[in-house]
């Protein structure tokens, strides 16, 4: 991964992510993924989640709410998985009270910046923690023990509590300034190479050492070939290993 003094190109997802799950929200995430994939190398995907202080719960605290049914939930989970595997660094920026799908979107990004007033309402349905893939991501990203406590209480987390759990990387008043700083830091990152390493990381908790060894060796061989190739003038990036990163 390299850095640059120049700001990276960005693609922004700014959804209305506080109501019930809708086909429009799923479409917005997929269109965001399309735009990131069609962009030039080194593009940063930005997910803005601007909550309103004191905003009402989704359907009285119930997620996904609405009348979508399990087919819509399946489409939503697939869109999130697609975003999670983009060949680009993704950054979430949160302000205010974020509820509904906000947690799902946060957990599918690579870097998370939150304002000091941010709160994160965990998803519930009929008073119980929503059993979607956010539960799986929480367990793999924060650990089973910590997630078990959230499962019992389904609380609304402050920015500080979210950071302690590892859900936020920065808590700062000037979120726009922090975003500018991070896009400059991430500028020049080779998205495809980053995605290979991210995939290895995401697969690690559910893969044994012996099963992972071959894939990691393939990635190491790819990295060595990538370095040799890019030492030569006019070289092109290698294609994704092991069937791609998506």
């Amino acid at each position: 991964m390299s850095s640059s003094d120049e700001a990276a190109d960005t693609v922004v997802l700014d959804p209305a992510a506080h109501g019930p799950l809708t086909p429009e929200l799923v479409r917005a995430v997929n269109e965001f993924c399309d735009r990131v994939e069609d962009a030039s190398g080194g593009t940063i995907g930005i997910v803005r989640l601007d909550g309103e202080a004191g905003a009402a719960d989704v359907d009285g605290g119930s997620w996904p709410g609405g009348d979508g049914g399990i087919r819509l939930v399946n489409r939503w989970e697939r869109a999130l998985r697609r975003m999670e595997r983009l060949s680009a660094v993704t950054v979430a920026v949160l302000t205010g009270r974020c509820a509904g799908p906000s947690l799902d979107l946060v957990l599918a990004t690579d870097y998370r910046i939150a304002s000091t007033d941010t709160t994160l309402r965990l998803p519930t349905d009929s008073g119980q923690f929503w059993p979607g893939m956010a539960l799986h991501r929480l367990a793999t990203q924060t650990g089973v023990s910590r997630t078990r406590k959230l499962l019992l209480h389904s609380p609304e987390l402050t920015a500080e509590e979210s950071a302690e759990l590892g859900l936020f990387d920065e808590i700062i008043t000037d979120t726009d300034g922090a975003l500018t700083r991070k896009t400059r830091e991430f500028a020049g990152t080779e998205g495809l190479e980053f995605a290979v390493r991210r995939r290895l990381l995401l697969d690690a908790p559910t893969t044994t050492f012996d099963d992972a060894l071959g894939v990691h060796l393939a990635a190491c061989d790819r990295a060595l070939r990538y370095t040799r190739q890019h030492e030569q003038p006019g070289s092109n990036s290698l294609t994704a290993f092991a069937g791609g990163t998506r």
Side-chain angles (χ1 to χ4, degrees), residues 43-134:
T43 296
I44 307 296
I46 309 298
V47 180
R48 285 192 173 275
L49 299 169
D50 299 319
E52 296 181 3
D57 288 346
V58 178
D59 285 355
S62 179
W63 166 255
D67 303 314
I70 195 62
R71 290 186 178 180
L72 182 59
V73 172
N74 181 44
R75 288 171 55 199
W76 171 246
E77 298 288 6
R78 290 180 181 277
L80 291 170
R81 186 59 165 170
R82 183 183 176 194
M83 189 174 82
E84 190 175 42
R85 292 189 167 192
L86 283 173
S87 296
V89 177
T90 53
V91 180
V93 183
L94 299 91
T95 61
R97 187 173 193 265
C98 296
S102 296
L103 177 67
D104 283 323
L105 290 167
V106 168
L107 294 178
T109 57
D110 299 309
Y111 197 85
R112 300 93 182 248
I113 300 169
S115 64
T116 54
D117 68 338
T118 299
T119 60
L120 195 58
R121 178 73 163 86
L122 303 189
T124 60
D125 179 64
S126 301
Q128 302 293 323
F129 199 107
W130 173 247
M133 290 303 292

Side-chain angles (χ1 to χ4, degrees), residues 129 135 139 142-154:
F129 199 107
L135 188 60
T142 72
V144 172
S145 178
R146 286 179 165 184
T147 304
R148 182 176 64 246
K149 295 178 182 179
L150 299 179
L151 186 65
L152 290 171
H153 299 293
S154 298

Side-chain angles (χ1 to χ4, degrees), residues 227-236:
T227 299
R228 288 195 296 269
Q229 186 182 48
H230 281 70
E231 288 174 347
Q232 302 173 4
S235 60
N236 295 316

